[in-house]
Structure formats: C-alpha cells, structure tokens
C-alpha cells in the first residue's frame, strides 16, 4: 500500500469517529505551514478544527503605578486581544473557504502561551495539536522558553511540530544519488538485488 493509498484510506473512512485537531496561530509563516499540514490530515466534513491564538495577559499586579488606572489596563488588554484576533482572522477565513464544517476559534489569554495552549487542548479533548517550530513570540516568551518545547513536554494529546513547508516531490536522479549520502532506492533496484 502506498502513502497515497494510506492517505486516501484515512479520508474515506466515514464510519470512524471524528477527530479533534488544534492549530496554534500566531501570524508566523510556521503557523501557516502548521495549518496547511493539519488540513491535509483532516476529513473536512467530519473532523473538528480548533484554531487557537494566545494573547499576552496584562498582569495588573506586576505593573502598577499611581498614574495607571483600570482603564489603562483594560485598553492594553484589549490591544493584546486584538493582535491575537488579527492572527486568527485570515486562518479562520481560509478554513471557511476550504469548507471545513466543524471549525472553532479560540482566543486564550496567558503569560505563558505554551501553558495556555496545553490547558485548552486538555479541556477540549484535542486528539492532535499542530504548531510551527518557530513563532512570533515576544521577548518575554524568549526568556520563558519555547512554546513548542513546552507543548511537547506537557500536552496530553499528540503533537505535530511543523518545521517547514512540504516540498514538492522531486524525482531522485542518478546524479542526486551519487552526491547524496542518503540514497533512495527504486523498486526495480530492490527487485534486481533480490535475484
């Protein structure tokens, strides 16, 4: 059975249970690649897609000054929420365009994006979480550590970390086989060696 046959077998199983997939969205190219990779795995008519973005939570206790009132913090939080929504909108539109029937958009808040993602994934009983290898984290997230690393170590569901877009399939030529230490053998070569 070829990889294409396996993919088609997965798509053509209408009696199997719907799966819940979640994609972390942060506006980066890697999160777009994660979305594209996720959609390729989905059965768009029955599986559920959750798109999640995490807005930095404004910690009013950590930043308090006499000239900063509650309205200041509310405006700052609203701005953080809007940035996250800006990341979600184009991905949600693309999911809609692709006719993904069961789609959900989640705006989470937290000072630790990885923790917020893992918490929601567990709450929603997500089967597989897709995220890009590198995102558009803030300086604070650089000090706290990698979101993808946190999710890999702490999420209760399966994780797919997408490092780059899928390249189109390139035929392996004799020249490539001579220069590449990882040579892919054709079926003909394997059959000839067996005789």
């Amino acid at each position: 059975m070829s990889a294409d046959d396996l993919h088609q077998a997965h798509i053509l199983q209408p009696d199997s249970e719907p799966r819940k997939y979640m994609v972390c969205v942060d506006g980066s190219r890697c999160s777009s690649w994660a979305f594209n990779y996720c959609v390729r795995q989905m059965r768009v008519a029955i599986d559920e897609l959750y798109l999640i973005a995490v807005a930095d939570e404004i910690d009013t206790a950590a930043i308090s000054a006499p000239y900063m009132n509650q309205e200041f913090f509310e405006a700052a939080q609203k701005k953080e929420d809007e940035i996250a929504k800006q990341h979600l909108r184009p991905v949600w539109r693309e999911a809609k365009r692709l006719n993904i029937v069961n789609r959900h958009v989640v705006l989470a808040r937290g000072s630790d994006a990885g923790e917020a993602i893992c918490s929601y994934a567990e709450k929603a009983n997500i089967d597989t979480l897709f995220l890009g290898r590198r995102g558009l984290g803030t300086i604070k997230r650089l000090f706290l550590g990698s979101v993808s690393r946190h999710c890999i170590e702490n999420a209760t569901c399966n994780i797919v970390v997408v490092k780059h877009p899928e390249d189109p399939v390139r035929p392996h030529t004799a020249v490539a086989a001579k220069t590449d230490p990882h040579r892919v053998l054709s079926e003909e070569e394997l059959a000839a060696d067996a005789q």
Side-chain angles (χ1 to χ4, degrees), residues 123-140:
K123 177 182 171 183
N125 294 318
I126 297 299
D127 294 303
T128 307
L129 171 64
F130 292 80
L131 54 139
R133 171 66 179 92
R134 297 199 186 276
L136 295 177
T138 61
I139 297 297
K140 180 169 50 170

Side-chain angles (χ1 to χ4, degrees), residues 39-161:
V39 169
R40 289 178 48 118
Q41 313 308 311
M42 290 185 68
R43 297 164 297 172
V44 297
I46 64 171
D47 289 337
E48 290 186 61
L49 174 65
Y50 290 76
L51 303 172
I52 186 169
V54 181
D56 283 331
E57 188 170 41
I58 304 299
D59 185 359
T60 58
I63 314 171
S64 83
Y67 57 87
M68 294 182 184
N69 59 22
Q70 186 63 31
E71 289 82 27
F72 171 82
F73 291 112
E74 289 172 3
Q77 186 64 63
K78 188 174 181 178
K79 183 177 179 183
E80 289 296 325
D81 291 351
E82 186 53 39
I83 291 168
K85 288 177 188 177
Q86 286 174 4
H87 297 315
L88 285 165
R89 284 184 190 110
V91 183
W92 174 80
R93 281 193 294 269
E94 183 63 10
K96 186 176 178 181
R97 187 188 72 74
L98 293 170
N99 296 318
I100 297 173
V101 177
N102 301 310
R103 57 188 183 275
H104 312 276
V105 180
V106 179
L107 173 62
R109 286 185 184 161
S111 58
D112 183 338
E115 190 175 302
I117 291 164
C118 289
S119 174
Y120 189 82
E122 186 172 2
K123 177 182 171 183
N125 294 318
I126 297 299
D127 294 303
T128 307
L129 171 64
F130 292 80
L131 54 139
R133 171 66 179 92
R134 297 199 186 276
L136 295 177
T138 61
I139 297 297
K140 180 169 50 170
R141 287 193 188 136
L142 289 175
F143 290 117
L144 291 173
S146 165
V147 172
S148 57
R149 182 182 192 107
H150 181 90
C151 291
I152 288 167
E153 293 175 358
N154 296 289
T156 57
C157 61
N158 291 322
I159 307 279
V160 176
V161 178

